[in-house]
Amino acid sequence: MRVVVAMSGGVDSSVAAAILQEDGHEVIGISMQLYDQRDKDSGFGNCCTIDDLHDARRVANVLKIPHYVVNFEQPFSEHILKPFVDEYAQGRTPIPCVHCNSELKFSTLLDRAIGLGATGVATGHHARVVHDLTRNSYMLKRGIEPKKDQSYFLFPLTQEQLKHAVFPVGHLSKSAIRAYARNRCLPVSDKPDSQELCFVSSGKHASFIEQNRDHLARTGKIVSTNGQLLGHHKGVHRFTVGQRKGLGISSPVPLYVLKIDAPERNVVVGPREALEQSHLTASTVNWISNKPKSTFTATAQIRYQHPAAQAQITPLENNRVDIEFNTPQTAIAPGQAVVFFDGETVLGGGWI
């Protein structure tokens, strides 16, 4: 079949394209241009650069497949950058990678792919899709290597999107992916993985937000749980629940961010044990298959690479859920995603 591969210039998406080609599919490589490459003051970080686009083109040349760069600046700004800034302005901690997957790669890019006569969109995600013939539905499963699994970021995908999703490297370990790339003489076989957000350099998210919303740089108070004034800060967007370093205050015991009150511009801090909670609610929940009708037991993961924990999950009205963990979880942060699993299968997820 004809498949469009989202080529980022990294080793995972490059190997995804190579595997599909080797399997006999007609492969078209597409790289997304997410910002104006001529703008040196854009604030963008270490991914999706001119060099990355060149790497994707070099891989396409080795594989002898067509490669196109598509301008996605407007949808990226609308669906990723603006919500990112808005969330921090509200004292929440966003995950833009989730929106990028559901609203760009498997929505906007999928539309482009269908326009090219393709039947699927492939990415280098460490995840798997399995078609359940008995129920005629698609299941999303974890990637085979636990430390690299990225199914957490894919929980908003619908059945229609999963029908067209292809994850060629989800059954491979990272070492096997690099070995395959070297065997196929791909020029990115030893290229380091990106560890940060694609549009913000490490430690620079506050300045990026201020550049896009300058009025957020407003001072506020750092207070204890009983309201005692401990210090001042330069903007609530500089904090996230669970943060310890960079508070700008001195204390005989380590203090952590417990809560961010954006309207009052207050950051509440306290001891580590105060971070532990057993209960949360989540909204805008997406169920990969059918929505459960009553409380059920599953594991729930509150952050990427945070261990999934046993919990009782109760579906509520208006696409919400109530979650009660068997053991307290540390630093449950508003704005993060909570994803539900049955073993290796993703059941769904929502926003804390």
Side-chain angles (χ1 to χ4, degrees):
M1 62 183 181
R2 179 178 294 172
V3 183
V4 162
V5 180
M7 299 183 69
S8 66
V11 65
D12 293 329
S13 61
S14 298
V15 168
I19 289 175
L20 289 170
Q21 184 202 50
E22 187 175 31
D23 287 345
H25 300 294
E26 180 187 352
V27 178
I28 299 173
I30 287 185
S31 296
M32 299 184 295
Q33 179 178 313
L34 304 179
Y35 62 99
D36 188 347
Q37 305 283 354
R38 299 167 298 178
D39 185 1
K40 303 301 181 182
D41 299 320
S42 65
F44 277 73
N46 53 7
C47 185
C48 309
T49 64
I50 283 286
D51 290 340
D52 293 316
L53 298 181
H54 284 324
D55 284 342
R57 177 63 55 84
R58 289 165 63 205
V59 170
N61 287 339
V62 170
L63 298 177
K64 294 181 172 54
I65 62 173
H67 175 259
Y68 305 97
V69 176
V70 182
N71 189 327
F72 273 30
E73 292 179 31
Q74 191 275 332
F76 185 73
S77 176
E78 178 183 349
H79 296 295
I80 312 302
L81 297 186
K82 186 179 183 299
F84 177 81
V85 175
D86 289 344
E87 285 283 87
Y88 268 109
Q90 297 172 41
R92 296 162 61 87
T93 306
I95 315 177
C97 298
V98 173
H99 296 292
C100 189
N101 290 325
S102 62
E103 297 173 41
L104 257 66
K105 293 176 182 175
F106 293 101
S107 180
T108 307
L109 183 57
L110 177 58
D111 290 341
R112 299 286 184 97
I114 293 174
L116 292 170
T119 56
V121 168
T123 70
H125 282 101
H126 289 250
R128 295 170 291 156
V129 174
V130 176
H131 187 201
D132 185 340
L133 294 174
T134 59
R135 294 187 295 178
N136 192 28
S137 64
Y138 293 86
M139 296 186 296
L140 175 63
K141 291 182 173 291
R142 290 188 183 274
I144 206 71
E145 184 174 351
K147 290 185 178 180
K148 294 295 181 180
D149 167 52
Q150 294 172 307
S151 59
Y152 173 88
F153 295 113
L154 299 168
F155 79 86
L157 297 189
T158 65
Q159 282 290 304
E160 183 64 21
Q161 290 171 330
L162 287 171
K163 177 181 177 180
H164 296 284
V166 185
F167 303 124
V169 303
H171 67 290
L172 297 174
S173 67
K174 191 70 181 193
S175 59
I177 291 171
R178 293 198 181 277
Y180 183 95
R182 286 190 286 270
N183 186 54
R184 291 293 302 270
C185 299
L186 302 184
V188 295
S189 59
D190 295 312
K191 184 176 181 178
D193 293 335
S194 176
Q195 300 295 326
E196 304 293 337
L197 293 178
C198 71
F199 56 91
V200 182
S201 298
S202 178
K204 299 291 182 64
H205 85 272
S207 58
F208 177 86
I209 292 168
E210 290 166 12
Q211 183 176 326
N212 287 273
R213 194 78 62 82
D214 56 7
H215 73 270
L216 288 182
R218 300 172 64 189
T219 60
K221 298 177 182 179
I222 300 176
V223 299
S224 66
T225 52
N226 60 12
Q228 179 185 358
L229 177 64
L230 302 178
H232 292 84
H233 62 77
K234 297 181 179 180
V236 295
H237 62 287
R238 296 174 175 269
F239 301 90
T240 184
V241 171
Q243 179 178 333
R244 176 187 173 185
K245 297 182 179 179
L247 301 185
I249 57 175
S250 59
S251 171
V253 297
L255 295 177
Y256 298 79
V257 175
L258 305 179
K259 180 181 177 181
I260 301 170
D261 185 347
E264 297 296 327
R265 304 203 301 276
N266 287 342
V267 175
V268 181
V269 298
R272 191 179 191 281
E273 55 267 25
L275 281 172
E276 296 185 347
Q277 298 181 43
S278 297
H279 176 262
L280 68 83
T281 57
S283 59
T284 321
V285 173
N286 177 61
W287 298 102
I288 296 295
S289 187
N290 296 323
K291 176 183 176 180
K293 296 181 179 180
S294 58
T295 300
F296 65 98
T297 300
T299 58
Q301 185 173 333
I302 61 171
R303 284 189 306 278
Y304 179 52
Q305 293 189 333
H306 184 90
Q310 197 86 355
Q312 310 303 309
I313 302 172
T314 303
L316 305 174
E317 294 181 350
N318 301 318
N319 293 328
R320 299 171 67 246
V321 295
D322 183 277
I323 300 178
E324 191 72 30
F325 289 97
N326 292 5
T327 56
Q329 302 297 295
T330 302
I332 297 176
Q336 292 282 290
V338 57
V339 181
F340 329 127
F341 293 87
D342 178 10
E344 294 186 331
T345 302
V346 180
L347 302 176
W351 298 98
I352 300 172

